[in-house]
Amino acid sequence: MRGILLTILLLAAVSAQAGEVIVKSNDFTSSKVCAHCHKNIFNTWQNSLHSSSLTDPIFRASYLEAYHETQGRASQVCMPCHAPLVNVNKDFDLLKDITREGVSCDFCHSVKDVQLSASGPNKFVLEPGLVKRASIVNTSSPSHQVAFSKLHKSALLCAGCHEYKNSLGAPVFTTYSEWKASSYAKDDKPCQSCHMEVQEGSTVAPGVSPTAQTTFNVHTIAGGHSVEQLKKSVEVEIAEVRRVGDKMSARVIVTNVGAGHMVPTGIPTRRLLLKLTAKGQNAVLYETERVYEKVLVDKDGRVLTKDWEIMLHAKKVIKDTRLKPNEPRAEIFNLNLPKNSDPVVVSASLFYDYRPQVVEETPMSMELKSVKKAVPAAQ
Ligand code: HEC
Ligand code: HEC
Ligand code: HEC
Ligand code: HEC
Ligand code: HEC
């Protein structure tokens, strides 16, 4: 009797658990369901900006302003990328939990095709349901079907959101076309090769089902919010320092060594700053900077500095001094040093500068690289 009761209880427990892990046959499934089996991947995705594409406070503050200005119409503009299930379920008011998961597991793994020529932000051909697509060849899963997809090894998948002209035709995001024009595209190094590194570990939790895979792709997909990622992108070198009397000149070279697109890329409110300083024994003798950025204006020529204004109102680009992939940029600085200022040391530092407006402007500045050189003594 006891034995039977225990069996019934156990069965009930198992089926309750199984009830939670049902992959829906003709709709999107919650990432929590995928998490049951794909633990490692879920944990990395959870730390990504894709999983917080709606909850990210920087996005929320910006969206709120856009929403007020447009009496809600901004939802139609922003959500196709920040809550991309709206492309299918039209839940623009975000009433369903599943829509609020942002750029979710099942969104990316239900994409069948990306059509960049389609107008508006929705460029995805989606097929939600039992078939999950990625790049493992010859596999199977107990809870869904699988399909090998070349698209998931390609930059085109990312281009659906990372390449965008707004309704006025202004090129707001050009990360994909920057990549397409670079040597990385020719060498078949897509976004994934830098943003989804391969890590030792299992694609599925122990006990789920045997797998031949011993590694998985990290889904954190770090970018400008990661100092570690940023530091890979640029190098700075003081190539030459000359001095004739009190006249000094320095040639500094800044190179985009590690990004497969311009630095900075993406949202145009980010800038790279090169700061050059000349220091005497006790004082800063000279300080100046160069800025690498893309600047957009509205139809009246007003420079736009807020993310949402750029998305909605940018009309054209009036300046673009960002560093192209692999580009070395030489900067010459000429200055007059005060008399008797020996010894002098020049230093060149790179900063990533970003001023998101959360409650009030919150400047963030991250030093990426810094080098120093002694200036020859005055003759
Ligand atoms: C009951 C366990 C289970 C659940 C739940 C589950 N999967 Fe899987 N999935 C697997 C297994 C097992 C594999 C095969 C893994 C391997 O070969 O390494 C797999 C493979 C995959 C693949 C690889 C397909 C390919 O051909 O490259 C994708 C993508 C995928 N799952 C996505 C999802 C998504 C998205 C969800 C949630 C909607 C999900 N899975 C839910 C067990 C599961
Ligand atoms: C932004 C799109 C995107 C999101 C969101 C996303 N994936 Fe992936 N996933 C990919 C791509 C692209 C690959 C293939 C990478 C490659 O092969 O270079 C992949 C690969 C996989 C694989 C095959 C094994 C591997 O590591 O290559 C599984 C399983 C998988 N994802 C499950 C998930 C789950 C579960 C989630 C949510 C927790 C998720 N993915 C979220 C894009 C995404
Ligand atoms: C459905 C739209 C969508 C797709 C597809 C997509 N992304 Fe994103 N991505 C976003 C959004 C939205 C954000 C910004 C979220 C936020 O901060 O609010 C983002 C942010 C990022 C970031 C910035 C992270 C940081 O630290 O600043 C990187 C890098 C990135 N995505 C790379 C990729 C790559 C690589 C792919 C393809 C494998 C991809 N994305 C596919 C929408 C998408
Ligand atoms: C050769 C490696 C490499 C490739 C290929 C690459 N990236 Fe990046 N990406 C980086 C590095 C390094 C950074 C950090 C520097 C920066 O922010 O520009 C970065 C930053 C980003 C950011 C954050 C933007 C910013 O400036 O804050 C986004 C978004 C992004 N990448 C998307 C993509 C997409 C989409 C693709 C493919 C079309 C891609 N990346 C291809 C290396 C790469
Ligand atoms: C075509 C897709 C797309 C549309 C449409 C879109 N976004 Fe984004 N958004 C992105 C991507 C991709 C990123 C990340 C880019 C990067 O890091 O360079 C992003 C990043 C942002 C960020 C910066 C978040 C952070 O943490 O740094 C803000 C703010 C933002 N978007 C606001 C909006 C608002 C408001 C709208 C609507 C008016 C909107 N976006 C429409 C794709 C889109």
Side-chain angles (χ1 to χ4, degrees):
M1 183 65 199
R2 261 222 169 144
I4 293 171
L5 191 65
L6 197 68
T7 315
I8 291 171
L9 283 175
L10 272 175
L11 277 176
V14 169
S15 64
Q17 219 184 7
E20 289 170 9
V21 289
I22 288 178
V23 173
K24 295 187 178 162
S25 60
N26 58 2
D27 199 357
F28 290 103
T29 301
S30 166
S31 304
K32 289 184 206 129
V33 171
C34 321
H36 275 278
C37 297
H38 299 294
K39 281 209 168 62
N40 282 332
I41 293 173
F42 178 83
N43 291 342
T44 56
W45 169 78
Q46 225 179 0
N47 289 324
S48 74
L49 277 180
H50 289 138
S51 87
S52 52
S53 60
L54 270 183
T55 49
D56 168 17
I58 301 173
F59 169 73
R60 290 184 73 92
S62 180
Y63 178 58
L64 218 65
E65 283 194 60
Y67 194 90
H68 280 300
E69 202 215 42
T70 60
Q71 279 121 34
R73 285 191 314 278
S75 163
Q76 305 273 337
V77 181
C78 316
M79 292 313 152
C81 297
H82 284 266
L85 298 197
V86 301
N87 291 315
V88 171
N89 70 13
K90 309 291 170 210
D91 180 20
F92 286 98
D93 295 324
L94 309 177
L95 301 175
K96 300 183 178 152
D97 288 345
I98 190 98
T99 319
R100 292 197 296 268
E101 286 189 15
V103 185
S104 65
C105 311
D106 219 12
F107 173 78
C108 280
H109 291 290
S110 302
V111 178
K112 246 189 112 177
D113 195 12
V114 174
Q115 294 175 341
L116 277 188
S117 55
S119 64
N122 180 9
K123 297 176 163 54
F124 298 99
V125 177
L126 289 160
E127 199 176 78
L130 278 182
V131 183
K132 305 304 168 209
R133 297 172 170 82
S135 58
I136 307 178
V137 192
N138 284 336
T139 184
S140 65
S141 149
S143 72
H144 58 74
Q145 296 161 28
V146 291
F148 174 80
S149 156
K150 241 168 61 186
L151 178 68
H152 285 73
K153 274 268 181 221
S154 126
L156 191 61
L157 175 71
C158 320
C161 293
H162 289 271
E163 182 76 19
Y164 177 61
K165 278 197 171 92
N166 69 4
S167 63
L168 302 171
V172 174
F173 293 126
T174 49
T175 306
Y176 175 74
S177 42
E178 293 160 17
W179 170 85
K180 192 91 181 138
S182 78
S183 66
Y184 296 97
K186 288 176 204 85
D187 299 342
D188 198 22
K189 287 218 152 53
C191 324
Q192 291 86 330
S193 69
C194 297
H195 286 285
M196 297 185 78
E197 68 273 33
V198 173
Q199 191 175 299
E200 294 284 320
S202 182
T203 53
V204 281
V208 170
S209 142
T211 159
Q213 309 295 318
T214 54
T215 57
F216 68 97
N217 281 289
V218 172
H219 279 58
T220 315
I221 312 190
H225 288 269
S226 149
V227 181
E228 200 190 326
Q229 183 78 0
L230 284 171
K231 285 191 171 179
K232 292 181 193 159
S233 62
V234 280
E235 285 299 343
V236 56
E237 179 200 352
I238 302 174
E240 195 177 21
V241 181
R242 284 194 197 184
R243 179 160 172 180
V244 179
D246 292 326
K247 287 198 187 324
M248 186 204 117
S249 82
R251 191 160 59 89
V252 176
I253 299 177
V254 184
T255 312
N256 174 353
V257 290
H261 36 68
M262 293 200 194
V263 177
T265 188
I267 202 135
T269 48
R270 297 169 185 174
R271 312 184 308 163
L272 186 70
L273 295 181
L274 168 65
K275 286 197 182 153
L276 184 102
T277 350
K279 262 196 192 141
Q281 217 152 15
N282 302 312
V284 173
L285 307 173
Y286 176 83
E287 206 168 23
T288 188
E289 65 184 33
R290 297 277 196 276
V291 184
Y292 307 101
E293 63 179 345
K294 170 167 150 187
V295 178
L296 293 106
V297 294
D298 68 8
K299 64 177 180 1
D300 304 318
R302 191 172 61 98
V303 171
L304 302 173
T305 56
K306 292 186 174 184
D307 296 326
W308 67 271
E309 288 185 317
I310 294 173
M311 304 284 176
L312 296 178
H313 303 311
K315 179 76 184 142
K316 64 174 189 210
V317 176
I318 54 158
K319 175 185 171 197
D320 191 350
T321 55
R322 297 171 303 152
L323 301 171
K324 294 196 181 85
N326 300 315
E327 180 190 354
R329 184 87 53 94
E331 302 284 358
I332 313 278
F333 299 90
N334 290 310
L335 48 132
N336 287 321
L337 294 173
K339 291 228 173 322
N340 306 322
S341 51
D342 290 313
V344 180
V345 172
V346 279
S347 52
S349 307
L350 284 170
F351 291 87
Y352 180 81
D353 187 69
Y354 184 30
R355 297 158 187 279
Q357 331 241 322
V358 178
V359 179
E360 53 194 29
E361 190 172 85
T362 316
M364 294 184 202
S365 178
M366 301 183 231
E367 187 175 69
L368 304 182
K369 294 286 154 70
S370 188
V371 287
K372 281 189 181 153
K373 210 166 214 165
V375 176
Q379 316 255 317

